[in-house]
Amino acid sequence: MVNRGASRLRRVLILIFVAIFAAIIGPLLLLIIKPSVMPNPPNSAVQLLTEPFLQLPTPTSVRVVWFTEFAGTDHRVIYGQNFQHLAIARTSKLSRTQEDQFSLVGEQKERGQVYQKSTPRNIWRQEAIIQNLDSGDRLPYRVTSTHPNGTSITSEEFTLAPAPRPGQPLKILLTSDHQVMPMTAANLQKVQETIGRVDAVFLAGDLQNVPDRASEWFDDNRGGAFFPCLQGRASYQLEKNGVKTTYRGGEIIQHAPLFAATGNHEVMGQALPHLNLNEQFNDPRPQSAATKLYNTYAEVINPSNNQKIRQDWLKDHSFNTDTFREIFTLPTSSSGGENYYAVTFGDIRLISLYVTNIWRSPDPQARGRFQEQPGDLDNPQDWGYGQMIFEPIKQGSPQYQWLEQELASPEFKQAKYKVVMFHHPPHSLGENIVPPYTDPVQVIDRNDQGGITAIRYEYPQGRDYIIQALLPLLEKAGVHLVFYGHTHIWNRFISKTGMNFLESSNVGNTYGAYTGDRKRPVPEKSQEKYVVTGNPNGLTPITPTLSPVLGEDDKPLAYLSSNDITAFSIWDTATGLVTSYRFDTREPNSAVIKFDEFKLDGRKF
Ligand SMILES: [Fe+2]
């Protein structure tokens, strides 16, 4: 009896122990096991940061790139008609991406709610090279990344293709100046709805506002960051006349390679951690000024005279395009890397140039376009040096010499279509075409005692490098189209020799056209006489051929400049036609309207 009783007690104790064990340890075990079997949770930490997109197509290959917020493992592209092929991705980490008090990201809806200062943000880039493709192939693909918690995340299915062969008809989207602006998502959504899949995107610079602010590329919480807009994952709400419409952008670059030019918003200024990202962006210093400062303090900055320390210091105290170049894999040139390059894409030879300067305010009290701030006169380290040019294009410069060689190359000469893309306008009704595109000439006014009373900057019209050096070279070489942006309007021109100019930058917003009574801001006192209305460089804007927007007097306008109507341009290489479309966001259910069309004749064979 005693033994039987003891045995029963033991069994009861064991049962109690098992129950306690199950109650405590079970959920812990489940927590450990669960991530590997659960579906993708709605948590940004275990999603891909972008959809995949295409880069650098060659006749037999193309690259697939995507971003994650984890280093992860087993990043791969699965592709082919039956998804029978596999390409392993190479992982790298973006070196300069940050958020700050002005970021609109995550829970931060107002200044400084989450971030009080510039704070590094960890982002990894995955890139796989898809090889052995046949010309004309278009294959389905998906990408997969594995999170450190074991979750495998797979994208939806998209299509990839190598570079098109000569003669293959192509539709090219010509766009620029997205910059997380209000109409960008609507614009790109209308591209997809109107055209369907395009074959490539030529983007003439200014992809976002501050290149090192990660959220402007990936997940700005207004819903209109760069990648979501070009991948059909935006969620940007526009309110017009009391009606709210949410636009998702277009599923474009998952299927079509993007070729971008370096605009002023791809250039980050002095990378000093005590500055917020806006201040860093707005404060580039000429390399010559950075070098002068370095030489003054070299023994303190770099006592061991280490070359790497010197180079890093000079970069951090001048300007750089590192984030732009880390995000994309663009074609390269020997002297300009990804900042200027040429590439053959089907019948097109595309030359992309690094022609852009810092934008500075015309305000006479600012560290501005035309003068230094009055309080900075005696402190050269605080000078802005006017609208400095980032990369020379003047005669004899490395970029100019490279361009001369490119224009003489068989790839260029034999191409049916020759297109040159850069950011700064050669002909425009917009504001930013004034002052002329040249190195600012510093003029220092002094009083009788030799003290500085003003520092001004002059921009001699006769030294405009685009007009004096670049365009004659392009005209002589028979370029068919010069495509650019920067002033956020749509207008086009044609030269006497038949070279076409198109600015199709009224995408997300406008900064206005300067015609009639509207005058560009210029200083009251300057030696140079700046052109305050019209195109300062001579050519007359062409009134859109199909359906121009009407002005207040009901007469057709020779441009489009609107914060309600957004425009995009599509070039069809089969016909040579460049067609521009407009969409009125005040009427969300209205049709897209073709408003202009012109033909690129191409080279005759
Ligand atoms: Fe710009």
Side-chain angles (χ1 to χ4, degrees), residues 177 179 206 263-265 356 423 432 485-488:
D177 299 274
Q179 294 178 253
D206 283 8
N264 55 305
H265 285 275
T356 189
H423 186 60
N432 295 337
H486 195 41
T487 80
H488 298 220

mmCIF file of all heavy atoms in Angstrom, residues 177 179 206 263-265 356 423 432 485-488, ligand 1:
data_model
loop_
_atom_site.group_PDB
_atom_site.id
_atom_site.type_symbol
_atom_site.label_atom_id
_atom_site.label_comp_id
_atom_site.label_asym_id
_atom_site.label_seq_id
_atom_site.Cartn_x
_atom_site.Cartn_y
_atom_site.Cartn_z
ATOM 1 N N ASP A 177 14.298 64.841 -62.262
ATOM 2 C CA ASP A 177 13.848 65.715 -61.166
ATOM 3 C C ASP A 177 12.659 65.147 -60.388
ATOM 4 O O ASP A 177 11.658 65.830 -60.198
ATOM 5 C CB ASP A 177 13.523 67.108 -61.733
ATOM 6 C CG ASP A 177 14.740 67.760 -62.359
ATOM 7 O OD1 ASP A 177 15.502 68.405 -61.623
ATOM 8 O OD2 ASP A 177 14.962 67.588 -63.575
ATOM 9 N N GLN A 179 12.717 63.779 -56.971
ATOM 10 C CA GLN A 179 12.920 64.529 -55.710
ATOM 11 C C GLN A 179 11.791 64.417 -54.674
ATOM 12 O O GLN A 179 11.504 65.371 -53.966
ATOM 13 C CB GLN A 179 13.182 65.994 -56.044
ATOM 14 C CG GLN A 179 14.499 66.157 -56.788
ATOM 15 C CD GLN A 179 14.757 67.597 -57.175
ATOM 16 O OE1 GLN A 179 14.648 67.963 -58.334
ATOM 17 N NE2 GLN A 179 15.104 68.416 -56.210
ATOM 18 N N ASP A 206 18.814 64.448 -60.564
ATOM 19 C CA ASP A 206 17.950 64.855 -59.450
ATOM 20 C C ASP A 206 16.911 63.773 -59.143
ATOM 21 O O ASP A 206 15.707 63.944 -59.333
ATOM 22 C CB ASP A 206 17.299 66.214 -59.700
ATOM 23 C CG ASP A 206 18.283 67.344 -59.460
ATOM 24 O OD1 ASP A 206 19.478 67.054 -59.250
ATOM 25 O OD2 ASP A 206 17.859 68.504 -59.471
ATOM 26 N N GLY A 263 22.938 64.731 -61.296
ATOM 27 C CA GLY A 263 22.406 66.081 -61.116
ATOM 28 C C GLY A 263 22.955 66.699 -59.843
ATOM 29 O O GLY A 263 23.660 66.032 -59.065
ATOM 30 N N ASN A 264 22.610 67.954 -59.582
ATOM 31 C CA ASN A 264 23.125 68.587 -58.358
ATOM 32 C C ASN A 264 22.624 67.875 -57.106
ATOM 33 O O ASN A 264 23.283 67.899 -56.070
ATOM 34 C CB ASN A 264 22.775 70.079 -58.309
ATOM 35 C CG ASN A 264 21.293 70.358 -58.446
ATOM 36 O OD1 ASN A 264 20.666 69.926 -59.410
ATOM 37 N ND2 ASN A 264 20.727 71.088 -57.504
ATOM 38 N N HIS A 265 21.470 67.200 -57.196
ATOM 39 C CA HIS A 265 20.971 66.473 -56.023
ATOM 40 C C HIS A 265 21.577 65.067 -55.883
ATOM 41 O O HIS A 265 21.159 64.307 -55.017
ATOM 42 C CB HIS A 265 19.446 66.417 -56.038
ATOM 43 C CG HIS A 265 18.841 67.728 -55.656
ATOM 44 N ND1 HIS A 265 18.630 68.090 -54.352
ATOM 45 C CD2 HIS A 265 18.467 68.795 -56.410
ATOM 46 C CE1 HIS A 265 18.120 69.313 -54.326
ATOM 47 N NE2 HIS A 265 18.019 69.769 -55.561
ATOM 48 N N THR A 356 26.672 69.850 -64.037
ATOM 49 C CA THR A 356 25.775 70.373 -63.013
ATOM 50 C C THR A 356 26.582 71.203 -62.019
ATOM 51 O O THR A 356 27.767 70.943 -61.818
ATOM 52 C CB THR A 356 25.029 69.217 -62.310
ATOM 53 O OG1 THR A 356 24.018 69.757 -61.468
ATOM 54 C CG2 THR A 356 25.951 68.346 -61.477
ATOM 55 N N HIS A 423 22.356 67.230 -66.786
ATOM 56 C CA HIS A 423 21.341 67.821 -65.915
ATOM 57 C C HIS A 423 21.068 69.302 -66.192
ATOM 58 O O HIS A 423 19.917 69.730 -66.229
ATOM 59 C CB HIS A 423 21.753 67.637 -64.445
ATOM 60 C CG HIS A 423 20.693 68.078 -63.489
ATOM 61 N ND1 HIS A 423 19.433 67.514 -63.470
ATOM 62 C CD2 HIS A 423 20.676 69.052 -62.533
ATOM 63 C CE1 HIS A 423 18.696 68.098 -62.546
ATOM 64 N NE2 HIS A 423 19.423 69.038 -61.970
ATOM 65 N N ASN A 432 16.759 78.309 -63.485
ATOM 66 C CA ASN A 432 18.136 77.890 -63.218
ATOM 67 C C ASN A 432 19.085 78.023 -64.397
ATOM 68 O O ASN A 432 20.261 77.701 -64.273
ATOM 69 C CB ASN A 432 18.145 76.430 -62.735
ATOM 70 C CG ASN A 432 17.439 76.257 -61.408
ATOM 71 O OD1 ASN A 432 17.320 77.207 -60.643
ATOM 72 N ND2 ASN A 432 16.951 75.053 -61.135
ATOM 73 N N GLY A 485 17.358 68.532 -67.603
ATOM 74 C CA GLY A 485 16.317 68.818 -66.607
ATOM 75 C C GLY A 485 16.646 70.074 -65.819
ATOM 76 O O GLY A 485 17.067 71.077 -66.386
ATOM 77 N N HIS A 486 16.442 70.016 -64.509
ATOM 78 C CA HIS A 486 16.897 71.009 -63.529
ATOM 79 C C HIS A 486 15.934 72.168 -63.264
ATOM 80 O O HIS A 486 15.900 72.683 -62.156
ATOM 81 C CB HIS A 486 18.273 71.552 -63.914
ATOM 82 C CG HIS A 486 18.986 72.304 -62.832
ATOM 83 N ND1 HIS A 486 18.989 71.903 -61.507
ATOM 84 C CD2 HIS A 486 19.725 73.459 -62.875
ATOM 85 C CE1 HIS A 486 19.715 72.779 -60.793
ATOM 86 N NE2 HIS A 486 20.152 73.724 -61.593
ATOM 87 N N THR A 487 15.152 72.636 -64.266
ATOM 88 C CA THR A 487 14.306 73.795 -63.955
ATOM 89 C C THR A 487 12.859 73.391 -63.669
ATOM 90 O O THR A 487 12.028 74.249 -63.394
ATOM 91 C CB THR A 487 14.343 74.881 -65.052
ATOM 92 O OG1 THR A 487 13.492 74.512 -66.109
ATOM 93 C CG2 THR A 487 15.740 75.146 -65.541
ATOM 94 N N HIS A 488 12.551 72.106 -63.783
ATOM 95 C CA HIS A 488 11.220 71.599 -63.437
ATOM 96 C C HIS A 488 10.121 72.220 -64.309
ATOM 97 O O HIS A 488 9.059 72.597 -63.814
ATOM 98 C CB HIS A 488 10.919 71.796 -61.946
ATOM 99 C CG HIS A 488 11.871 71.058 -61.032
ATOM 100 N ND1 HIS A 488 11.456 70.412 -59.884
ATOM 101 C CD2 HIS A 488 13.205 70.841 -61.097
ATOM 102 C CE1 HIS A 488 12.502 69.859 -59.293
ATOM 103 N NE2 HIS A 488 13.573 70.115 -60.017
HETATM 104 FE FE FE B 1 18.667 70.112 -60.329
#
